[in-house]
Amino acid sequence: MPVVRTLTRTVKRVLQSPVCGCQAVTSVRFIGFSPRQVTSDASFHSVSFSEADHPRVLITGGLGQLGVGLAKLLRKRYGNNNVILSDIRKPPDHVFHSGPFIYSDILDYKNLREIVVNNRITWLIHYSALLSAVGEANVPLARAVNITGLHNILDIAAEHGLRLFVPSTIGAFGPTSPRNPTPDLCIQRPRTIYGVSKVHAELMGEYYHYRYGLDFRCLRYPGIISADSQPGGGTTDYAVQIFHDAIKSGRFVCNLKPDTRLPMMYIDDCLRATVEVLEAPAESLTMRTYNINAMSFNPEELAQEVRKHLPELEVAYDVDAVRQAIGEYMVYGNRYNYWNLL
Ligand SMILES: NC(=O)c1ccc[n+]([C@@H]2O[C@H](COP(=O)([O-])OP(=O)(O)OC[C@H]3O[C@@H](n4cnc5c(N)ncnc54)[C@H](O)[C@@H]3O)[C@@H](O)[C@H]2O)c1
Ligand SMILES: C[C@@H](O)[C@H](N)C(=O)O
């Protein structure tokens, strides 16, 4: 899977986005993307869809960090009206006016079924979830959304013959997962409700594939770094917040220890990998769930990189015990996996 793997390049890409708008950054033409490191706006290889055979896509939990960007990318490929964003929150104006948006609570099976039937949905991208830190803060809700909600999604997808993409996470590994490198198929004993629910999703999707022929596809995302969308309560959120705080106040308080090394990926690469897996011919998939990788770094290294552009940045550490504990598990599972695999 082609991905950008250097921290340096990622920091430049975030700081050059219109939202961050940092002036101190090298001009884009000096960055030197390789031909395979395209942005999310580019039209990359694989299947091309005519007006007649394009998929009809529903994205659940679409107002989170990843959904709006994915919708934008898919709408360019399949047409604006063929990609419906959904969530239980009220969309901001720019999202509401950019394409179809619909209310959908994944805990409401009948509502979900109605949306799928009325809109002739063929592909379902299931982004609704409570992430690792907010999940630990509300285990009953995380269990409901991440497990009961997933059951609704699986049943709807199987019943209506949908292609189903559900992302998993580095949080689906645990302290006993093998490393150096961590294979796609290995011991997974996470100790968070988020991780447990994602292992459950991986296994249920695989089971539905073999039992009912469900076209289930899954990637284990690392922590995702974006400029124009906010993360929703994960352990890797600091790696987004640091950019905003660096630009706004020049001061950042990190809730992880300076040496907490975690696997990360820039959002464009994550979304492109997602589309490539979604569009891959069924016969090319040898498994239902794959790891994807880009780079690993710790807060201290990220701060040093940001300081190359914003030298005045001050970083303090006020460690959050829950996030630190979750981060340690993600580290154990993945410390060596995400380096130099490309
Ligand atoms: N962002 C990352 O770093 C990352 C990394 C690994 C995996 N993932 C996975 O990717 C997916 C998307 O991540 P994200 O960062 O956009 O998440 P997010 O937390 O930013 O957004 C999740 C969305 O789910 C919605 N939601 C909550 N309860 C719902 C319900 N009952 N019905 C419908 N929607 C509901 C929320 O309103 C929210 O908009 C998630 O499944 C997440 O586990 C994300
Ligand atoms: C890693 C990923 O699943 C999410 N960003 C989290 O930290 O919970």
Side-chain angles (χ1 to χ4, degrees):
M1 195 75 56
V3 285
V4 173
R5 65 190 161 111
T6 68
L7 173 57
T8 304
R9 191 177 291 126
T10 296
V11 168
K12 284 178 179 170
R13 291 165 88 182
V14 173
L15 288 173
Q16 280 167 343
S17 78
V19 172
C20 280
C22 174
Q23 299 303 310
V25 181
T26 321
S27 153
V28 72
R29 67 204 159 87
F30 295 120
I31 292 177
F33 292 110
S34 85
R36 301 208 67 184
Q37 292 162 351
V38 294
T39 69
S40 62
D41 284 352
S43 53
F44 37 85
H45 71 85
S46 75
V47 190
S48 71
F49 291 87
S50 73
E51 279 298 306
D53 63 8
H54 46 59
R56 299 266 308 155
V57 185
L58 175 67
I59 304 175
T60 69
L63 295 185
Q65 186 188 5
L66 306 183
V68 173
L70 184 65
K72 189 174 166 202
L73 182 57
L74 296 180
R75 282 171 179 159
K76 281 202 174 123
R77 296 172 76 73
Y78 315 138
N80 222 43
N81 290 327
N82 290 316
V83 180
I84 303 175
L85 266 179
S86 71
D87 209 300
I88 52 172
R89 295 190 279 144
K90 205 197 271 187
D93 281 356
H94 73 278
V95 173
F96 187 70
H97 295 296
S98 65
F101 177 86
I102 201 162
Y103 171 87
S104 173
D105 182 346
I106 58 156
L107 296 174
D108 183 345
Y109 182 82
K110 283 170 84 175
N111 169 249
L112 257 182
R113 186 168 59 190
E114 190 177 323
I115 292 168
V116 166
V117 168
N118 287 351
N119 293 285
R120 299 182 301 118
I121 298 301
T122 55
W123 290 8
L124 183 46
I125 296 162
H126 179 47
Y127 269 176
S128 305
L130 259 64
L131 270 57
S132 56
V134 293
E136 275 326 282
N138 192 343
V139 172
L141 185 63
R143 200 178 62 182
V145 173
N146 295 7
I147 297 179
T148 309
L150 174 90
H151 293 169
N152 288 341
I153 293 288
L154 285 167
D155 286 341
I156 297 277
E159 191 184 335
H160 297 279
L162 309 183
R163 181 170 297 183
L164 174 62
F165 178 83
V166 181
S168 186
T169 167
I170 51 170
F173 297 112
T176 52
S177 296
R179 342 168 205 172
N180 202 16
T182 304
D184 290 311
L185 204 55
C186 67
I187 295 169
Q188 289 178 268
R189 287 291 181 276
R191 295 183 182 173
T192 59
I193 186 63
Y194 178 61
V196 168
S197 69
K198 288 293 187 178
V199 174
H200 177 74
E202 294 177 12
L203 289 174
M204 287 295 284
E206 188 173 312
Y207 173 72
Y208 269 55
H209 173 71
Y210 290 115
R211 181 73 173 77
Y212 303 115
L214 176 67
D215 187 352
F216 174 84
R217 302 169 183 217
C218 176
L219 290 174
R220 293 189 190 106
Y221 292 165
I224 304 303
I225 300 176
S226 58
D228 55 3
S229 59
Q230 291 291 333
T235 307
T236 57
D237 290 12
Y238 90 87
V240 176
Q241 197 58 43
I242 188 172
F243 291 96
H244 293 275
D245 291 1
I247 287 167
K248 275 187 209 138
S249 65
R251 189 176 152 71
F252 174 64
V253 179
C254 185
N255 53 25
L256 294 179
K257 290 182 189 167
D259 61 351
T260 312
R261 183 176 298 279
L262 289 168
M264 302 277 183
M265 181 178 279
Y266 187 59
I267 187 167
D268 285 4
D269 300 315
C270 167
L271 298 181
R272 184 188 47 174
T274 302
V275 177
E276 287 185 353
V277 163
L278 268 167
E279 293 184 353
E283 60 276 13
S284 68
L285 299 175
T286 54
M287 293 188 295
R288 309 324 302 176
T289 298
Y290 295 91
N291 293 340
I292 51 168
N293 62 290
M295 63 199 148
S296 293
F297 56 80
N298 65 37
E300 197 171 16
E301 290 162 340
L302 179 58
Q304 274 166 16
E305 201 62 44
V306 175
R307 274 197 202 100
K308 289 182 185 166
H309 307 281
L310 299 163
E312 308 303 314
L313 173 66
E314 285 173 30
V315 177
Y317 292 90
D318 181 11
V319 175
D320 175 300
V322 173
R323 283 178 200 249
Q324 185 63 39
I326 300 170
E328 300 285 339
Y329 293 143
M330 289 174 174
V331 171
Y332 292 147
N334 296 275
R335 173 169 243 149
Y336 303 108
N337 190 27
Y338 290 86
W339 285 104
N340 303 321
L341 294 185
L342 294 176

